[in-house]
Amino acid sequence: MKTKNLEAYLSGGVEKHLNGTFTIYGYIDNRKNGEEIGRHKCTYGEYTIKDARRMFKIELADIMDLCEEYKIFNNDDWVEFDYPHKATF
């Protein structure tokens, strides 16, 4: 997924948990300098992996749009940026 200044992608795998849930991870990079701006993760429990990946991609695209709107183009700005489900790892 790409915007004018950003590129987002999912990590290669899915983290499965003992309770049946799983977590998907994504990353947002600055397209101009290649540096990682931030990470996003979400845990799903009542969806198939296929449906969860589809929803995660939509959410990641929405976050990228917010980053473009608020000019979040580096990690320092990302740390202060607040949105639902922000990954703090």
Side-chain angles (χ1 to χ4, degrees), residues 68-82:
E68 287 281 358
E69 180 180 344
Y70 292 101
K71 300 186 184 338
I72 308 298
F73 300 130
N74 62 57
N75 186 260
D76 290 339
D77 293 337
W78 175 264
V79 170
E80 295 179 21
F81 184 50
D82 192 25

Side-chain angles (χ1 to χ4, degrees), residues 45-80:
E46 298 182 14
Y47 300 98
T48 64
I49 290 177
K50 181 181 177 181
D51 288 341
R53 285 177 60 88
R54 180 185 52 77
M55 292 185 306
F56 187 83
K57 287 178 182 179
I58 291 168
E59 189 169 311
L60 197 56
D62 289 344
I63 293 167
M64 283 182 25
D65 290 341
L66 287 172
C67 286
E68 287 281 358
E69 180 180 344
Y70 292 101
K71 300 186 184 338
I72 308 298
F73 300 130
N74 62 57
N75 186 260
D76 290 339
D77 293 337
W78 175 264
V79 170
E80 295 179 21

